[in-house]
Amino acid sequence: FEPPHLHSNQPISSSKVGVGVIKIGYPSAYTTIMGRKSLMGAPDQTRLRIEAMEEQRSLRRTQMKQARVNRAAEEQRNISAGNPGDVDFIGLVRRWREEHAGMARPH
């Protein structure tokens, strides 16, 4: 769908705006109601936000894949060392001991 007034060089007036089109200056710059088509000017902020969210999602998925690989390797190391068990719990205990090292009080 392309409104007929898009080929003129006159600013769009509200009476010439077609159904589903929002006026943004001159005819060569318009955006549909859903914000998906922008012929010129600044990119749609909604589209930029969506793209940023997709990039963040991709980064999170990559990090989770790496975490799964690391967890599997840690589990194999624990099994080969004769210490089978929940890798996450063992990691929590190890981190707690590292954070609280030297805090022991004499009895």
Side-chain angles (χ1 to χ4, degrees):
F1 168 75
E2 189 171 333
H5 60 276
L6 290 179
H7 298 290
S8 70
N9 288 330
Q10 299 298 317
I12 301 172
S13 67
S14 59
S15 63
K16 292 184 180 180
V17 175
V19 175
V21 176
I22 300 171
K23 179 184 82 138
I24 303 178
Y26 285 86
S28 60
Y30 75 95
T31 303
T32 63
I33 293 289
M34 296 302 292
R36 296 186 186 237
K37 193 172 191 180
S38 179
L39 297 179
M40 66 185 293
D44 182 30
Q45 291 301 312
T46 304
R47 170 58 43 198
L48 291 175
R49 178 74 176 138
I50 290 170
E51 290 171 0
M53 289 171 62
E54 288 172 349
E55 185 177 329
Q56 291 169 354
R57 180 184 305 134
S58 175
L59 180 62
R60 281 193 311 271
R61 287 181 177 175
T62 302
Q63 290 172 343
M64 287 307 300
K65 284 180 185 179
Q66 186 61 42
R68 281 193 291 273
V69 169
N70 292 343
R71 189 176 296 126
E74 181 72 21
E75 184 175 4
Q76 289 303 315
R77 280 194 298 273
N78 288 347
I79 290 172
S80 65
N83 189 18
D86 184 12
V87 175
D88 294 324
F89 178 73
I90 293 170
L92 287 173
V93 170
R94 185 182 322 113
R95 281 192 296 278
W96 186 88
R97 287 178 179 165
E98 290 170 357
E99 289 173 7
H100 296 88
M103 294 179 68
R105 294 178 287 176
H107 294 281

